[in-house]
Amino acid sequence: MKRILFVLTAALLMTSCFHDPPVISLFMWHYETLCNDPWGKALTTNSDTVSAWFTKQKIKFKHVTIQGQIFPDAANHTNCDTLTTRRIEAEIMLEDTAKARAAGFTSR
């Protein structure tokens, strides 16, 4: 019985020494404009549009989400630099974060 207790204690100590897995992706975001985004105009943009653009640009990612909604009068604005109040969020693989930054994505 004492040996089992010793073995279990040793196993517990050994498992506490393992480290977290390495970070392989980075959470990044981009504040959307009405029509100056590389994947197209905001009124026709959804997460599939951005995902297809990432794939075309050979930027590896885990997932894309869009947070928020376009403001109600967006169709009547002509200034392409106007922010839509939406934020495009993506989990970008570390080796492609430089490409994402060049496209206007930010992290912390």
Side-chain angles (χ1 to χ4, degrees), residues 58-61 92-101:
K58 296 182 175 137
I59 298 175
K60 295 180 205 85
F61 63 98
I92 307 293
M93 303 310 273
L94 283 180
E95 67 263 19
D96 290 336
T97 55
K99 292 179 192 176
R101 282 188 207 290

Side-chain angles (χ1 to χ4, degrees), residues 32-37 41-45 68-86:
E32 184 182 51
T33 62
L34 281 176
C35 52
N36 277 344
D37 299 310
K41 295 186 177 189
L43 296 175
T44 59
T45 296
Q69 295 182 10
I70 297 176
F71 61 92
D73 198 27
N76 296 328
H77 283 268
T78 57
N79 184 358
C80 283
D81 291 330
T82 302
L83 294 175
T84 64
T85 69
R86 291 198 311 183

Side-chain angles (χ1 to χ4, degrees), residues 10 14 26 39 41 60 66 68:
M14 288 180 64
L26 182 65
W39 45 82
K41 295 186 177 189
K60 295 180 205 85
I66 299 178

